Amino acid sequence: MAYFLVRRLGSLIITLGVATVVIFAVLEIVPGDPALMMLGVNANEENLAALREQMGLHLPPTTRYWNWVSGLIVGDFGTSYTYSVPVAELIGERLWVSLPLAVLALLLSTVIAIPVGAFAAARRGRGGDAGVMGLTQLGIAIPNFWFALLLVYVFAITFRVVPAGGFPGWQAGFWTALTSLVLPAIALALPQAAILSRVTRSALLETLGEDYIRTARAKGLSRSAVLWRHALTNALIPVFTILGLQFAFLLAGTIIIENVFYLPGLGRLIFQAITQRDLIVVESVVVLLVATVIVINFIVDIAYAWVDPRLRAGSR
Amino acid sequence: MSLDGPALAPAPERENWRHFAAKAMGNRSFVIGGLITAIVAAMALGSYGWTPHDVTDLDVASRLKKPSNLFWFGTDHFGRDIFSMIMVGARNSIAVALIAVGIGVVIGVPLGTLAAARRGAVDEVLMRFNDLVFAFPALLSAVMITAIFGPGAVNAIIAIGIFNIPVFARVARGAALAIWPREFIMAAQVAGKGMIRITIEHILPNIANILLVQATIQFSLGILAEAGLSYVGLGTQPPWPSWGRMLFEAQTMMSFAPHMAIFPGLAIVITVLGLNLLGDGLRDVLDPRLRRER
Amino acid sequence: MTRRVLKSEPLLAIEGLDLAIGETPILHGIDLSIEPGRIMGLVGESGSGKSLTALAAMQLLPAGAKVSGAIRFDGRQLLELDEPAMCDLRGDEIGMVFQEPMTALNPVKSIGEQIAEGIRLHAGVDRATAAERARTTLEQVGLEAMPLTRYPHELSGGQRQRVGIAIACAMQPKLLIADEPTTALDVTIQAQILELLSALVADNDMALLLISHDLGVVADMADDITVLKDGRVMEAGPTVPVLKRRRHPYTRQLAEASTHAPAKPAQPVTSAGAARDGLEPLLSVRELVCEYPGTRTSLFSRPSPFRAIDRVSFDLFTGQTMGLVGESGCGKSTLARTLLGLQRPASGAIEFEGEALEAADPDTYARARRHMQVVFQDPYGSFNPRHKVERLVGEPLHLVPGLAADQKRDRVVTALASVGLSAGDLDKYPHEFSGGQRQRLAIARALVTEPRLIIADEPVSALDVSIRAQILDLLAELRDRLSVAYLFISHDLTVVRVLCDDVLVMKDGRFIERGSAEELFAAPREAYTRELIAAAPDLAAAIERRSAA
């Protein structure tokens, strides 16, 4: 287990390293002169010189990269050009909207998908299964932002049970703040739940065909006991994989959904930064999101080992 | 009975065309999915020759009209016919998703089959590369590209295409790894055939079905992704109609012109649904053993 | 048909059982009855319906199966019981052991949990008591020192099968069903597991339904026998008389096929004879070592390589049939792969037709492979399902430069004719052939380059006995006609004995004994060889021993 952990940790660090190199190269090397890019061709020489100085563009790229990464490690993302405040501060505020939203959506989709998938698998080929599978087929095809628009139309515009958008901030009270995240979370979670429940169902059906399931049945276990006690634990492995990948999609989805509900999260920040050509903010948000995805996938790998004793022993 | 375990399960059988067609026509998913896909493709192609109204025609007098005999799906805030815009928008969705799938196949499949053939360090490097690219969802790649080059449909193609590479690499690798230990591969090696030749003659034909099914899935995901990118302004730019863009424009009119949001959204849902059904049907028809896997 | 008058009420009585899956009828009017405490052997070839008969008794049939008839167990009509009642019965009064020990246990649960699960369910005892009883059960199956906390992947195949038996026997059922319980195991392990089953049945007064394709195993174990073919009972009765008299033609056919010996050549080529005559070897292997990299499990120590083949040397002469026997993991397949150039040896020398191959470049190997071909075990997996026979059988002609298309076709037709197939088969796909025919195709593919050596890696292990006999005859005939040499790799001593001139016995990567087949089987010198020979099921010997008793 120790060897397995260290090996995975090693590849985590390498992947993170390469990812930062890629981001740095795309946003700071490819444009040639990032300062010119940010200020536009009509910028005056003085401002340009000042920005170049602030970004350290006179230094060689390797030094700039190194300064940037060592800053990231201690939480220093640099200073936003347009807001003139530390980027870390900007991100910190926005994160408290985006992260709860993503986590809420992930929880919601897991809580819905696993029982639904198990329900369908247990009724394989019968009416319940066909109905659930039809619904999930539809769920996969629905873009989450369109679903969000429909939810807004029905629940905010027609019935007025929730606000159509905006975020009062957590200082306005936990429940008040949470209420404004409910619709976005549902919009994000349902299409994901459709995918996840299909994966759960197929993983379960696959394990239900294994020899050890027959052994368990021959032991006298009923169909449902076999499903919950033997099949589900084994089926969790592919489900975990998809959960890890889905988190990446959820983060991306969060960015889009925030635009539907006018939530002041990372998504709004990044789009404002793009229109204002604030490369420093774009770079920081991208690096943060990419790192999150990588770390989540690392955690998923560790979770495998927790589920599967064969990996725990380190034979992989 | 002794040895009829999984090792002796009958190998996938070569179907002749007539048999394949008969099986395909008997598969409900395949027929419905194929029909929907064909209709969407026909709409996209047809839009080059004819649309009910001119999509560049701004007619303030007929803005925000509800669906009617004249404007089947109503009009938008500039008075453009939504049905015509959906027809033209289909071109865009299909082109972006199709090219992105092409990028994934052309780069990902050789990488994946190479990794499976060489194993060892090559494989390890490829898998790490996959992990890396998986960490850049199409949206983030698009954000970066747009920040540098400005928005446009090409960005969407590149961003979605990049994300498709590891998808196809992973699927091709997994499928090829399952074929390599088979005895007919060893027989080919004993017949003196090299890695590349075996990959072309024996591996690719045996994983083609799986890749085809994956391609339909990625195609439908590509349409969703393109819509998302256009919706947030990172994809296709106005005045060119695109389904995602139409939804963005509909958003502020939601309370008094919901039809502006409903029809483009339905177009996306139906197209994606059609492709997914087609993929499911193909999987069942091409390889019944895969049926239970999803 | 002779049916003995039953001494007592049968424990399990299957009467007129019909079974169909979907529209395909599988079983036709099966009758079978087992008395308490007795062992019933159920034999038959692939597709005879043996396993489904057992699964019908357990009511664990695959979806879409339709049954009719009657199955009576201990006074109850099983086909009329509802699912909860069957659950109470399964694992409590009827236990079942399956074929594949590698997949029959849940990989993510400890063996203790898996044994205790049934005990808790049926005895309704608490966790601690169940664990205690699981411990006792493990001891009964000969795993005294095995901790309950082990996971299946930490156990060997034989140990896993013992755990499988422990699960089935944890509640001391009245009836134990064992479906090919030893087919996936090595012969020595098979002997141990069969011994364990006999002991458990005798000690706990259980009845045993032993399903097997191996007449030798059944002859050794069973009190009564039922012979199945295509879903019908051919013959049933006490084992020894049935197998001795062989009244039913199918029983006779089966028994003869399992002991079938192809005609040996008038003058077999043996190593001893060749050395005496001063012949040049066709293939000469010296001090060959093959290693695999070890799996790294620790941060601090480098893994030491696993030595699959440890300094082996042997010569093979034109026309000689050399048997290579050994249990799984002994290195015999690695040796085959190395000789074929599919992997590189760590050290040592391989000389074929006077040419050194151990470090040969691809071209030299390509030349050598024209005269060195291979036949694999699995008649289904050894052909690309998307190619036609002409291309499949002609594939090795890649090694023969300068052949025109029609020359290639002629060669393929000749090879097909040698194995009893015809030019009419050229345009067929592999799935259009039966298992035995496919193995003929595989042999044709090996013959197409007119090789002098064929490496046959378990070529008959996946075949039913009657087809096995035909393929053995074919191999013997080709040897005599084409004076091709075989390196015949097998775990099955019976087959090696009837076909081979010389035998190499391999264990842990080394040859521990070698000699002519006749001498080696008559007077094995090494304890391991003796153990192998003793463990191999032998129909004739079993009948003799049982009728004397």
Side-chain angles (χ1 to χ4, degrees):
Chain A
M1 184 68 185
Y3 174 64
F4 173 76
L5 264 180
V6 171
R7 227 190 73 160
R8 286 300 305 153
L9 209 58
S11 79
L12 168 76
I13 290 165
I14 293 171
T15 314
L16 281 174
V18 179
T20 54
V21 170
V22 170
I23 294 167
F24 182 80
V26 170
L27 292 175
E28 296 212 19
I29 308 293
V30 172
D33 185 353
L36 187 66
M37 168 132 241
M38 287 167 73
L39 296 180
V41 279
N42 300 324
N44 72 43
E45 238 357 274
E46 244 167 76
N47 289 351
L48 271 177
L51 184 59
R52 287 196 187 113
E53 180 64 30
Q54 191 207 324
M55 292 177 75
L57 295 182
H58 55 284
L59 298 169
T62 45
T63 318
R64 270 161 59 202
Y65 170 73
W66 193 245
N67 290 343
W68 176 59
V69 169
S70 42
L72 290 182
I73 293 171
V74 296
D76 174 11
F77 290 79
T79 306
S80 159
Y81 177 72
T82 38
Y83 297 90
S84 302
V85 288
V87 177
E89 219 170 86
L90 282 177
I91 291 180
E93 283 169 29
R94 309 297 208 271
L95 204 56
W96 281 108
V97 180
S98 298
L99 197 64
L101 177 55
V103 170
L104 195 61
L106 190 71
L107 282 179
L108 207 57
S109 82
T110 313
V111 166
I112 297 171
I114 291 183
V116 167
F119 170 87
R123 278 161 194 72
R124 182 190 192 174
R126 286 188 269 163
D129 183 23
V132 167
M133 284 301 101
L135 271 181
T136 57
Q137 188 74 267
L138 193 64
I140 290 175
I142 294 179
N144 51 24
F145 57 91
W146 182 62
F147 188 48
L149 287 175
L150 294 186
L151 287 179
V152 168
Y153 183 70
V154 173
F155 293 101
I157 297 177
T158 312
F159 294 112
R160 297 172 187 282
V161 284
V162 280
F167 185 69
W170 293 101
Q171 67 276 3
F174 180 75
W175 287 111
T176 319
L178 197 68
T179 321
S180 58
L181 292 184
V182 168
L183 274 197
I186 292 174
L188 273 174
L190 283 189
Q192 297 288 6
I195 299 176
L196 196 60
S197 57
R198 287 176 83 85
V199 171
T200 307
R201 172 182 178 271
S202 67
L204 270 174
L205 287 182
E206 187 135 323
T207 46
L208 282 174
E210 298 280 350
D211 282 357
Y212 56 78
I213 295 299
R214 204 173 48 179
T215 308
R217 291 276 286 144
K219 220 185 269 183
L221 264 64
S222 68
R223 263 197 194 91
S224 66
V226 164
L227 184 84
W228 293 104
R229 285 193 227 160
H230 288 267
L232 199 61
T233 38
N234 282 283
L236 278 180
I237 292 170
V239 170
F240 274 178
T241 313
I242 299 300
L243 266 181
L245 284 178
Q246 281 205 330
F247 197 76
F249 286 111
L250 275 178
L251 277 178
T254 311
I255 291 176
I256 295 181
I257 288 290
E258 283 170 8
N259 281 285
V260 181
F261 293 93
Y262 306 102
L263 295 175
L266 289 176
R268 299 294 289 170
L269 181 64
I270 207 168
F271 287 113
Q272 279 157 9
I274 287 175
T275 30
Q276 291 154 352
R277 303 231 153 188
D278 192 340
L279 282 192
I280 304 172
V281 170
V282 171
E283 190 176 54
S284 305
V285 176
V286 169
V287 93
L288 183 75
L289 293 179
V290 167
T292 311
V293 173
I294 294 174
V295 170
I296 293 285
N297 282 326
F298 167 75
I299 294 172
V300 167
D301 264 15
I302 303 301
Y304 282 164
W306 172 63
V307 173
D308 193 333
R310 287 164 295 186
L311 292 179
R312 228 177 290 158
S315 52
R316 182 166 155 167
Chain B
M1 219 62 198
S2 63
L3 285 150
D4 49 0
L8 286 188
E13 295 176 2
R14 171 90 179 202
E15 316 285 0
N16 56 36
W17 258 105
R18 198 173 304 167
H19 187 167
F20 172 81
K23 236 165 102 184
M25 287 306 125
N27 183 299
R28 208 164 31 160
S29 295
F30 183 89
V31 172
I32 297 174
L35 213 60
I36 293 174
T37 309
I39 291 172
V40 174
M43 271 172 60
L45 286 176
S47 73
Y48 284 101
W50 172 85
T51 51
H53 299 266
D54 187 347
V55 290
T56 54
D57 195 10
L58 306 186
D59 179 5
V60 186
S62 53
R63 60 197 287 268
L64 294 175
K65 287 266 186 289
K66 296 255 180 278
S68 65
N69 277 337
L70 182 60
F71 302 103
W72 297 343
F73 290 174
T75 62
D76 73 355
H77 52 303
F78 293 123
R80 292 176 294 182
D81 175 44
I82 289 179
F83 182 76
S84 305
M85 287 174 77
I86 286 176
M87 276 179 77
V88 178
R91 287 183 212 167
N92 196 64
S93 290
I94 291 175
V96 170
L98 207 58
I99 299 172
V101 168
I103 293 174
V105 170
V106 168
I107 302 177
V109 172
L111 282 179
T113 46
L114 176 78
R118 292 287 298 272
R119 308 299 308 273
V122 176
D123 195 14
E124 191 67 29
V125 168
L126 180 96
M127 291 315 286
R128 294 288 83 83
F129 167 78
N130 269 1
D131 288 353
L132 181 72
V133 184
F134 268 131
F136 288 86
L139 185 79
L140 286 186
S141 306
V143 161
M144 290 204 295
I145 300 170
T146 308
I148 302 300
F149 300 106
V154 177
N155 293 357
I157 291 177
I158 296 173
I160 301 169
I162 288 177
F163 198 72
N164 275 341
I165 295 172
V167 171
F168 281 98
R170 185 179 278 197
V171 170
R173 173 182 174 274
L177 278 181
I179 307 283
W180 269 99
R182 300 271 294 271
E183 286 181 341
F184 68 85
I185 299 296
M186 271 195 271
Q189 287 174 305
V190 172
K193 291 189 173 161
M195 197 189 82
I196 293 172
R197 191 144 182 187
I198 289 178
T199 298
I200 294 170
E201 282 184 19
H202 293 291
I203 303 289
L204 284 178
N206 280 294
I207 67 173
N209 289 351
I210 298 172
L211 292 177
L212 186 63
V213 171
Q214 190 66 40
T216 60
I217 294 170
Q218 293 311 117
F219 192 20
S220 74
L221 289 177
I223 285 182
L224 279 178
E226 193 277 334
L229 291 178
S230 298
Y231 170 73
V232 291
L234 299 180
T236 315
Q237 293 302 302
W240 219 220
S242 92
W243 294 347
R245 189 81 209 161
M246 289 166 78
L247 287 176
F248 170 74
E249 285 164 2
Q251 188 176 336
T252 45
M253 325 270 164
M254 208 56 200
S255 49
F256 47 90
H259 67 269
M260 270 179 71
I262 287 170
F263 292 107
L266 278 178
I268 298 172
V269 172
I270 289 171
T271 308
V272 173
L273 190 65
L275 282 167
N276 284 342
L277 286 173
L278 181 66
D280 278 7
L282 263 181
R283 179 171 43 225
D284 292 355
V285 172
L286 291 174
D287 197 344
R289 288 173 311 157
L290 290 173
R291 185 174 311 177
R292 62 198 171 96
E293 286 176 21
R294 195 167 282 228
Chain C
M1 269 193 231
T2 54
R3 264 199 97 68
R4 213 159 44 113
V5 180
L6 296 175
K7 272 185 281 181
S8 59
E9 189 64 16
L11 179 67
L12 176 77
I14 297 176
E15 281 154 13
L17 182 72
D18 287 328
L19 185 149
I21 293 182
E23 297 302 307
T24 321
I26 309 276
L27 300 178
H28 312 270
I30 301 284
D31 291 323
L32 186 143
S33 70
I34 306 173
E35 293 161 45
R38 282 178 76 88
I39 300 181
M40 164 64 82
L42 184 57
V43 292
E45 297 187 296
S46 311
S48 59
K50 312 185 290 290
S51 293
L52 285 171
T53 306
L55 290 174
M58 289 294 275
Q59 290 287 292
L60 284 179
L61 289 165
K66 291 189 288 273
V67 279
S68 60
I71 301 176
R72 200 151 33 81
F73 174 78
D74 207 20
R76 279 155 291 179
Q77 294 288 351
L78 295 193
L79 294 183
E80 287 159 22
L81 286 187
D82 60 1
E83 180 57 24
M86 273 315 294
C87 281
D88 289 342
L89 205 69
R90 284 186 212 119
D92 191 14
E93 295 181 58
I94 310 180
M96 186 157 180
V97 181
F98 298 95
Q99 175 175 345
E100 287 294 337
M102 290 308 177
T103 54
L105 301 179
N106 187 337
V108 307
K109 281 184 186 280
S110 72
I111 57 169
E113 282 176 79
Q114 296 190 53
I115 301 170
E117 191 174 28
I119 301 174
R120 285 177 61 197
L121 184 72
H122 294 296
V125 293
D126 62 34
R127 220 169 256 274
T129 320
E132 222 165 276
R133 284 182 60 177
R135 177 78 265 155
T136 323
T137 316
L138 264 190
E139 278 159 23
Q140 282 175 352
V141 297
L143 294 175
E144 289 80 4
M146 181 70 66
L148 290 172
T149 50
R150 286 287 172 83
Y151 286 93
H153 72 276
E154 299 171 292
L155 274 56
S156 71
Q159 288 172 330
R160 290 189 206 192
Q161 197 58 303
R162 284 176 192 268
V163 173
I165 294 172
I167 291 174
C169 296
M171 295 301 296
Q172 275 121 20
K174 293 175 188 145
L175 172 66
L176 182 64
I177 301 176
D179 187 0
E180 302 273 8
T182 57
T183 305
L185 303 173
D186 282 322
V187 275
T188 52
I189 310 293
Q190 160 164 298
Q192 292 165 15
I193 296 291
L194 291 177
E195 203 173 309
L196 170 68
L197 282 175
S198 311
L200 278 174
V201 167
D203 292 352
N204 298 307
D205 202 28
M206 289 190 271
L208 172 66
L209 176 61
L210 177 67
I211 298 171
S212 181
H213 69 288
D214 191 331
L215 224 45
V217 167
V218 171
D220 206 39
M221 294 276 295
D223 303 311
D224 304 292
I225 186 171
T226 300
V227 182
L228 229 54
K229 184 189 186 226
D230 299 335
R232 288 192 169 81
V233 174
M234 295 289 114
E235 190 174 5
T239 307
V240 176
V242 166
L243 290 181
K244 224 172 166 176
R245 294 187 198 126
R246 302 179 186 178
R247 285 241 181 83
H248 195 280
Y250 183 69
T251 310
R252 185 158 61 242
Q253 186 195 330
L254 214 52
E256 279 166 7
S258 19
T259 50
H260 176 81
K264 287 232 174 184
Q267 284 182 316
V269 183
T270 62
S271 296
R276 195 175 52 232
D277 300 342
L279 295 181
E280 279 295 308
L282 176 68
L283 171 74
S284 168
V285 173
R286 289 290 171 271
E287 294 286 312
L288 193 71
V289 174
C290 291
E291 289 177 341
Y292 290 111
T295 41
R296 187 163 194 160
T297 52
S298 156
L299 259 186
F300 307 106
S301 59
R302 283 189 77 78
S304 53
F306 168 69
R307 192 167 265 208
I309 295 179
D310 193 6
R311 287 167 305 173
V312 306
S313 304
F314 71 98
D315 288 331
L316 189 58
F317 298 89
T318 303
Q320 184 179 16
T321 304
M322 176 74 85
L324 175 58
V325 297
E327 297 188 295
S328 53
C330 75
K332 47 190 200 304
S333 287
T334 304
L335 181 61
R337 292 178 55 85
T338 310
L339 293 177
L340 288 165
L342 300 181
Q343 68 190 57
R344 284 280 158 122
S347 67
I350 304 169
E351 200 175 283
F352 180 68
E353 296 186 306
E355 198 151 18
L357 290 184
E358 64 274 5
D361 56 279
D363 284 346
T364 316
Y365 237 112
R367 228 169 326 138
R369 284 210 200 92
R370 278 174 66 176
H371 290 159
M372 187 203 291
Q373 280 293 313
V374 64
V375 176
F376 293 108
Q377 168 176 357
D378 180 0
Y380 291 89
S382 63
F383 293 105
N384 187 337
R386 291 167 194 283
H387 290 175
K388 290 179 176 177
V389 164
E390 181 172 0
R391 188 163 173 196
L392 292 169
V393 172
E395 187 165 39
L397 291 176
H398 178 66
L399 296 164
V400 186
L403 283 183
D406 55 332
Q407 283 174 304
K408 282 191 178 181
R409 178 177 277 249
D410 286 347
R411 287 255 203 144
V412 172
V413 172
T414 313
L416 285 178
S418 308
V419 299
L421 296 171
S422 73
D425 296 321
L426 283 175
D427 274 337
K428 290 187 184 163
Y429 286 101
H431 69 84
E432 297 174 63
F433 296 89
S434 68
Q437 283 175 319
R438 285 193 215 202
Q439 207 57 326
R440 285 174 190 271
L441 280 179
I443 295 169
R445 174 172 61 191
L447 289 175
V448 80
T449 55
E450 296 168 0
R452 302 182 62 199
L453 168 63
I454 291 179
I455 295 175
D457 192 355
E458 304 271 7
V460 295
S461 306
L463 304 174
D464 278 325
V465 280
S466 49
I467 293 159
R468 182 171 76 188
Q470 293 166 17
I471 296 292
L472 287 177
D473 279 342
L474 174 65
L475 288 171
E477 181 225 312
L478 291 171
R479 170 190 60 197
D480 299 341
R481 194 154 57 83
L482 307 172
S483 67
V484 58
Y486 292 120
L487 180 62
F488 189 93
I489 299 171
S490 181
H491 71 283
D492 186 338
L493 274 81
T494 327
V495 172
V496 169
R497 182 177 201 166
V498 297
L499 186 74
C500 297
D501 305 322
D502 281 289
V503 181
L504 298 163
V505 181
M506 198 168 194
K507 184 174 193 269
D508 300 334
R510 293 184 198 165
F511 293 153
I512 58 152
E513 185 166 0
R514 63 179 80 198
S516 77
E518 220 165 293
E519 286 166 21
L520 189 126
F521 280 97
R525 290 188 304 275
E526 294 293 323
Y528 177 70
T529 317
R530 276 198 294 276
E531 198 188 333
L532 275 184
I533 294 172
D538 184 333
L539 178 59
I543 296 174
E544 201 170 308
R545 189 175 57 75
R546 296 285 299 271
S547 25

